[in-house]
């Protein structure tokens, strides 16, 4: 009876120890200074929404994915004296949704420049990138008429529509509900507006010595997106947030003074009417040339023979298919040059540049077409083939702005700056012109993605002529994870303006770089990103669609990364907390302990240098932090260590580098040599055997039928698991020990 009782007591104490979760829980308690919570970082159920018929759990469009379309016939006349644009728009809107629609919403972006607009109201006194830079003018759309066009007896009939304008939105009431699953309606809008000289860095008028350069965007009422996520997306245009647009086809006519040259999204339909015979020959030569061909030189800009004679105005006609927007530029001051773009399929496109004489020379815009061609060809190889017949770079007073097939870049840019802005703006063809994310809400899904691919292309261009330096993420940690920052996930209009560059561009770009180069590897990441582009080309992905695609294609649960870097603004800090030699012998290797002190987990990269100068590198996957705050690992070194450094290449944003380095002068932790304690032990009173082993310098107790229990060394042959009230005292000969639990002693002797 006594034996049984003692046996049960012993088994009971072991069960208590197990139930306490000793090894994990106690290890966590050893470091109360850490802010890391592995249950928060690696929590299940990152995704809050299940798959639907329209969006798959794997991140691809669902079996019943739908999206509406908007086809435009646009005509506009430019008055270069008053900066006025008078336009007519005929919109054909097709409702592919399963819902009937009783009204439509359209974006009136030019209304941002009305004095009573919401966007004008939020321009701070210190000034802003957004707005019209203090220009006093009669801004905004003058909507002259909105009509529903229908066919009656085969003839078009126009009927006035009722509509309501609210800031930068217009709601058009339909005379009858638009049918679901393919119903369409045609709407005709007559309008006019004055183009701002500086329109939120997206559109404007630049005065040069040879005339004005008009860079024209957001120049017609555009359809709001009706989607399966929010229904109508009607967030007002305040300046910081960009655009979310439907795809469709464009038929465009631009009437401008005859001395102007017009460039536009899409393909020119009537070159014989707007270019001279000589210029048409040069265009033909450019389409067959990998070198830049001059269409209209600097010397010809003021030569009347460089423009067709006999007319006061000319109408330029363009067509563009399967695009979400269209823009154009017009000027008498344009130098025009071009070169062939070679696409992977064998198809060709055309790189075009339009710029004033002020931008020519000194390694400046005379290289624009070279940059454009290289950028388009590179991204076409890496991600998806360029879809448009031309890629036009226009020198304007914008710092840089992108539209399908055409971009506006700073007229004063040159050399590396011009390459950078050209490559960046044309990179936007892929994000968001092809992959049509909601820029109004998720700026990082176009700016961040584009910043990331720009870094890759800088290495590809001309043997790295303008390659970006490898970022020092230690130095950038304060900028990327500072306490004053909002999360990347915040909408652009919900960010401090000074934080927009960091959170929309640099931080998501840096995150994707870490993911590619140090978490997934280039092959897995590139395959996943290409899949995302292919899946969502000319469609409307959400952040979940991106996250799910990367995870499913790469085969990796990345909830911890999305949660740390995008959803939250978590800091990262790893520290070396202990270094010891196995059995105090440098030739047997070293045990290094690293702690995770901040909320973000990342892989561990350690570089150790020996006294003789040998280097050992150890990389641990992020899963070591899945249930640990502190982690010890063995380094297979064979001599004394001189130094150990966490993240020697500075690829992760460590917020406190002071704890990243250990030097021999910091001292080695001496360990107890446990060899004498190892082996099997038995008790004459309890039918249980106890075996002691050593794991990474820790004495581990293994009892019959029980899990292994690591013990803390208390010195002088005493070991304990204090949290369970258990202690073990060896005799001097190390051939026997007394186990104490709850005031009871149990004697064990070493087996012969």
């Amino acid at each position: 009876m006594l034996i049984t009782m003692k046996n049960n007591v012993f088994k009971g104490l072991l069960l208590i120890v197990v139930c306490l979760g000793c090894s994990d829980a106690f290890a966590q308690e050893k470091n109360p200074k850490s802010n890391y919570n592995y249950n928060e970082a690696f929590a299940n159920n990152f995704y809050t929404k299940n798959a639907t018929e329209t969006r798959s759990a794997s991140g691809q469009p669902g079996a019943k994915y739908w999206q509406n379309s908007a086809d435009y016939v646009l005509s506009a006349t430019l008055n270069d004296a008053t900066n006025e644009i008078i336009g007519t728009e005929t919109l054909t809107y097709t409702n592919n949704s399963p819902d009937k629609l009783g009204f439509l919403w359209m974006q009136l972006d030019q209304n941002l420049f009305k004095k009573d607009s919401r966007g004008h109201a939020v321009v701070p006194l210190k000034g802003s990138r957004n707005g019209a830079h203090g220009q006093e003018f009669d801004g905004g759309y003058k909507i002259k008429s909105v009509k529903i066009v229908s066919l009656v007896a085969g003839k078009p009939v126009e009927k006035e529509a009722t509509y309501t304008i609210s800031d930068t939105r217009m709601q058009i009431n339909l005379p009858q509900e638009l049918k679901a699953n393919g119903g369409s309606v045609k709407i005709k809008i007559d309008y006019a507006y004055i183009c701002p000289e500086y329109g939120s860095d997206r559109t404007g008028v630049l005065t040069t010595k040879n005339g004005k350069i008009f860079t024209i965007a957001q120049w017609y009422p555009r359809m709001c997106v009706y989607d399966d996520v929010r229904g109508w997306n009607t967030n007002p245009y305040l300046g910081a947030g960009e655009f979310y647009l439907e795809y469709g086809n464009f038929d465009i006519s631009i009437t401008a003074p005859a001395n102007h040259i017009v460039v536009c999204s899409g393909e020119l339909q009537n070159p014989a009417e707007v270019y001279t015979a000589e210029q048409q020959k040069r265009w033909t030569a450019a389409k067959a040339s990998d070198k830049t061909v001059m269409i209209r030189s600097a010397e010809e800009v003021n030569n009347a023979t460089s423009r067709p004679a006999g007319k006061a105005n000319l109408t330029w006609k363009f067509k563009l298919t399967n695009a979400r927007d269209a823009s154009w530029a017009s000027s008498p001051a344009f130098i025009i040059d071009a070169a062939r773009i070679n696409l992977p399929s064998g198809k060709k496109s055309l790189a075009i540049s339009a710029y004033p004489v002020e931008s020519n020379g000194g390694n400046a815009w005379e290289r624009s077409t070279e940059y454009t061609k290289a950028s388009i060809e590179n991204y076409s190889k890496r991600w998806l083939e360029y879809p448009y017949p031309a890629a036009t770079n226009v020198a304007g007073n914008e710092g840089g702005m992108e539209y399908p097939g055409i971009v506006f870049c700073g007229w004063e840019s040159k050399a590396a700056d011009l390459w950078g802005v050209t490559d960046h703006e044309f990179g936007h063809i892929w994000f968001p012109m092809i992959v049509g994310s909601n820029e109004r809400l998720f700026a990082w899904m176009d700016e961040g993605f584009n910043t990331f691919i720009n870094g890759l292309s800088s290495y590809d261009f001309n043997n790295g002529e303008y390659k970006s330096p490898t970022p020092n993420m230690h130095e950038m940690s304060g900028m990327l994870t500072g306490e004053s920052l909002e999360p990347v996930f915040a909408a652009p209009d919900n960010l401090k303006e000074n934080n927009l560059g960091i959170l929309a561009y640099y931080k998501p770009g840096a995150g994707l770089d870490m993911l590619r180069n140090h978490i997934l590897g280039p092959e897995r990441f590139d395959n996943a990103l290409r899949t995302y582009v292919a899946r969502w080309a000319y469609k409307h992905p959400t952040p979940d669609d991106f996250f799910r695609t990367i995870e499913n294609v790469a085969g990796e649960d990345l909830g911890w990364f999305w949660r740390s870097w995008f959803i939250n603004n978590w800091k990262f800090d790893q520290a070396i907390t202990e270094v010891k030699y196995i059995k105090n012998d440098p030739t047997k290797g070293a045990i290094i302990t690293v702690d995770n002190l901040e909320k973000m987990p990342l892989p561990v990269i350690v570089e150790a240098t020996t006294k003789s100068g040998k280097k050992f590198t150890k990389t641990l996957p992020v899963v070591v932090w899945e249930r640990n705050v502190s982690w010890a690992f063995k380094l297979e070194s064979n001599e004394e260590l001189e130094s150990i450094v966490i993240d020697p290449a500075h690829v992760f944003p460590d917020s406190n580098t002071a704890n990243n380095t250990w030097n021999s002068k910091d001292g080695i932790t001496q360990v107890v040599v446990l060899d004498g304690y190892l082996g099997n032990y038995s008790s004459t009173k309890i039918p249980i055997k106890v075996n002691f082993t050593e794991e990474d310098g820790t004495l581990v107790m293994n009892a019959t039928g029980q899990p292994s229990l690591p013990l803390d060394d208390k010195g002088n042959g005493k070991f304990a698991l204090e949290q369970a009230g258990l202690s073990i005292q060896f005799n001097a000969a190390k051939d026997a020990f007394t186990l104490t639990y709850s005031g009871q002693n149990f004697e064990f002797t070493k087996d012969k």
Side-chain angles (χ1 to χ4, degrees):
M1 184 68 178
L2 179 62
I3 293 175
T4 302
M5 186 169 59
K6 288 185 176 180
N7 184 38
N8 289 337
V9 169
F10 188 58
K11 286 185 177 180
L13 73 89
L14 292 178
L15 287 171
I16 289 171
V17 171
V18 173
C19 291
L20 286 173
C22 61
S23 59
D24 288 344
F26 297 167
Q28 184 171 347
E29 290 175 8
K30 286 180 181 179
N31 193 351
K33 295 181 181 179
S34 176
N35 292 319
Y36 181 58
N37 184 326
Y38 51 78
N39 281 315
E40 183 179 11
F42 287 90
N44 283 331
N45 302 318
F46 171 76
Y47 300 105
T48 58
K49 297 177 181 177
N50 295 326
T52 66
E53 291 182 325
T54 57
R55 296 178 190 266
S56 165
S58 67
Q60 58 189 314
K64 295 185 178 181
Y65 177 83
W66 56 265
Q67 84 188 30
N68 296 345
S69 65
D71 297 323
Y72 299 90
V73 177
L74 303 170
S75 63
T77 299
L78 170 65
N79 185 325
D80 67 348
T82 63
N83 300 349
E84 186 180 29
I85 292 170
I86 301 170
T88 296
E89 166 185 334
T90 302
L91 162 73
T92 301
Y93 181 72
T94 302
N95 176 27
N96 296 314
S97 83
D99 307 322
K100 296 177 181 179
L101 300 178
F103 54 84
L104 307 180
W105 279 102
M106 301 193 74
Q107 301 181 29
L108 303 181
D109 303 291
Q110 288 299 326
N111 283 1
L112 170 72
F113 305 108
K114 286 179 171 286
K115 291 182 180 180
D116 61 351
S117 74
R118 298 185 189 186
H120 186 80
V122 298
V123 173
L125 293 175
K126 64 181 180 180
S128 170
R129 174 185 181 225
N130 306 309
H133 276 201
Q135 178 190 359
E136 295 290 331
F137 73 114
D138 187 15
Y141 281 113
K142 305 294 186 295
I143 302 296
K144 299 176 181 180
S145 68
V146 179
K147 298 176 180 178
I148 308 294
V149 182
S150 57
L151 288 176
V152 178
K155 296 182 179 180
V157 176
E158 299 178 358
K159 186 177 181 180
E160 294 286 345
T162 61
Y163 60 91
T164 303
I165 294 175
S166 175
D167 196 53
T168 59
R169 294 89 29 107
M170 176 169 66
Q171 186 183 52
I172 302 173
N173 297 309
L174 301 177
Q176 63 230 8
E177 287 187 318
L178 187 59
K179 292 180 180 179
N181 303 313
S184 66
V185 63
K186 185 172 289 188
I187 296 175
K188 183 180 179 182
I189 304 173
D190 292 318
Y191 64 94
Y193 75 93
I194 303 295
C195 183
E197 293 175 3
Y198 180 89
S200 279
D201 207 23
R202 308 195 192 282
T203 185
V205 184
L206 172 67
T207 300
T208 76
K209 65 182 180 181
N210 294 317
K212 298 175 183 176
I213 294 177
F214 294 85
T215 42
I216 305 300
Q218 294 92 255
W219 59 284
Y220 60 97
R222 303 185 294 179
M223 279 302 306
C224 294
V225 173
Y226 185 84
D227 62 23
D228 62 310
V229 180
R230 302 181 74 210
W232 286 111
N233 287 260
T234 58
N235 297 67
Y237 177 43
L238 303 180
E242 293 187 276
F243 311 108
Y244 187 34
L245 303 166
E246 294 288 14
Y247 289 90
N249 300 322
F250 292 79
D251 189 326
I252 302 168
S253 298
I254 305 296
T255 300
N259 66 332
H260 279 227
I261 289 179
V262 176
V263 291
C264 181
S265 301
E267 185 170 23
L268 181 65
Q269 301 299 295
N270 60 334
E273 297 176 15
V274 295
Y275 281 113
T276 67
E278 177 59 30
Q279 288 167 346
Q280 292 176 64
K281 290 179 184 178
R282 295 173 183 177
W283 278 116
T284 301
K287 291 176 182 179
S289 175
D290 285 324
K291 302 247 183 221
T292 301
V293 174
M294 192 60 63
I295 310 298
R296 189 198 198 201
S297 68
E299 294 73 26
E300 294 173 313
V301 167
N302 288 316
N303 189 333
T305 63
S306 72
R307 303 298 306 121
K311 292 186 178 180
N313 297 291
L314 292 172
T315 298
W316 301 68
K317 298 178 180 180
F318 300 86
K319 283 191 176 180
L320 180 67
T321 60
N322 199 21
R324 48 175 260 167
D325 198 7
S327 295
W328 52 279
S330 181
S331 178
F334 278 152
I335 298 169
I336 302 289
D337 62 44
R340 179 181 65 195
I341 296 172
N342 303 299
L343 300 174
S345 69
K347 294 181 179 179
K348 310 298 178 186
S349 184
L350 194 63
I352 304 169
S353 294
Y355 51 97
V357 294
E358 292 94 328
S359 302
N360 188 38
N363 198 27
W365 274 79
E366 69 275 11
R367 294 189 70 184
S368 165
T369 292
E370 174 195 355
Y371 297 159
T372 299
K373 170 182 167 67
S375 184
I376 297 295
E377 290 178 348
N378 184 55
Y379 291 134
S380 294
K381 290 176 184 176
R382 277 191 176 273
W383 310 117
L384 190 74
E385 187 164 288
Y386 183 75
Y388 307 123
T392 304
N393 195 9
V394 182
N397 62 358
E398 300 82 6
M401 189 60 201
E402 72 283 353
Y403 303 97
I406 190 169
V407 302
F408 307 151
C409 295
W411 69 276
E412 295 179 300
S413 294
K414 59 177 57 180
D417 181 50
L418 181 58
W419 156 257
V421 68
T422 299
D423 188 60
H424 179 84
E425 302 311 331
F426 278 116
H428 276 305
I429 297 301
W430 283 263
F431 308 103
M433 302 306 161
I434 293 176
V435 182
S437 58
N438 187 343
E439 300 175 273
R440 193 64 55 86
L441 297 182
F442 307 111
W444 60 274
M445 292 186 74
D446 71 290
E447 297 295 358
F449 289 13
N450 193 32
T451 299
F452 163 72
I453 66 174
N454 298 157
L456 298 178
S457 67
S458 74
Y459 282 82
D460 296 334
F461 174 68
N462 201 22
N463 297 313
E465 179 181 358
Y466 300 126
K467 70 178 180 182
S468 303
T470 301
N472 185 327
M473 293 293 282
H474 290 188
E475 294 179 352
M476 295 178 65
S477 64
M479 180 187 79
L480 296 175
T481 62
E483 292 181 0
S484 65
L485 295 177
E486 302 87 355
V488 169
F489 232 68
D493 293 325
N494 196 211
L495 301 174
K496 298 183 185 73
E497 189 169 340
N498 289 340
N499 291 345
L500 183 64
I502 299 169
L503 295 171
Y505 295 73
Y506 300 116
K507 183 167 181 175
L512 296 179
D513 186 79
M514 286 192 293
L515 194 59
R516 179 182 192 263
N517 294 320
H518 309 293
I519 297 172
L520 293 178
E523 184 177 357
R524 292 168 72 196
F525 179 88
D526 288 358
N527 181 43
L529 186 58
R530 276 193 294 269
T531 302
Y532 169 72
V533 173
R535 284 177 172 180
W536 291 98
Y538 315 106
K539 297 181 177 69
H540 298 313
T542 67
D544 269 13
D545 298 317
F546 170 69
F547 295 152
R548 290 174 183 269
T549 293
I550 299 298
E551 290 190 359
N552 275 263
V553 178
E556 201 72 47
D557 183 350
L558 296 167
W560 60 271
F561 185 74
W562 312 133
R563 192 179 282 116
S564 298
W565 199 251
F566 291 89
I567 309 300
N568 298 292
N569 180 39
W570 286 353
K571 289 184 179 181
F572 167 73
D573 182 24
Q574 291 177 352
I576 299 173
T577 54
E578 187 177 61
V579 179
K580 55 189 178 185
Y581 297 126
I582 295 175
K583 301 185 186 301
N584 298 318
D585 184 352
T587 66
K588 296 183 182 297
I591 302 295
I592 301 169
T593 301
V594 177
D595 286 5
N596 203 60
L597 299 180
E598 286 292 351
K599 296 181 75 69
M600 182 178 187
L602 280 169
V604 181
I605 306 172
V606 168
E607 182 184 80
T609 305
T610 68
K611 292 283 188 182
S612 68
K614 281 186 191 176
K615 291 189 181 294
F616 296 82
T617 300
K618 183 83 170 182
T619 300
L620 302 174
V622 73
V623 292
V624 301
W625 305 120
E626 197 163 0
R627 58 186 177 194
N628 302 287
V629 175
S630 185
W631 188 253
F633 61 92
K634 183 179 179 181
L635 185 73
E636 299 288 349
S637 54
N638 54 15
E639 62 176 295
E640 287 187 63
L641 299 174
E642 181 60 34
S643 64
I644 303 170
V645 180
I646 293 176
D647 189 19
H650 299 188
V651 300
F652 294 139
D654 201 304
S655 60
N656 179 19
T657 58
N659 54 25
N660 281 28
T661 302
W662 172 91
N663 291 291
S664 57
K665 64 182 181 183
D666 297 326
I668 289 283
T669 300
Q670 295 297 306
V671 300
V672 176
V673 178
L674 301 173
D675 293 7
Y677 302 109
L678 308 183
N680 295 314
Y681 294 76
S682 303
S683 173
T684 59
K685 296 186 178 181
I686 303 177
I688 292 177
K689 285 193 176 290
V690 175
N691 172 260
F692 290 104
T693 59
E694 181 183 355
E695 294 182 13
D696 295 332
T698 298
L699 189 66
V700 179
M701 176 180 168
N702 306 275
T704 305
Q706 303 295 334
S708 299
L709 301 175
L711 304 175
D712 295 326
D713 181 12
K714 299 300 182 180
N716 297 319
K718 185 177 181 179
F719 298 84
L721 204 58
E722 291 181 342
Q723 292 81 355
L726 181 151
S727 68
I728 291 173
Q729 180 65 61
F730 285 89
N731 63 7
K734 302 178 184 176
D735 59 2
F737 69 85
T738 302
L739 185 150
T740 302
Y741 173 72
S742 192
Q744 298 185 68
N745 296 327
F746 302 87
E747 304 295 334
F748 288 79
T749 56
K750 199 169 194 175
D751 295 348
K752 303 279 186 186

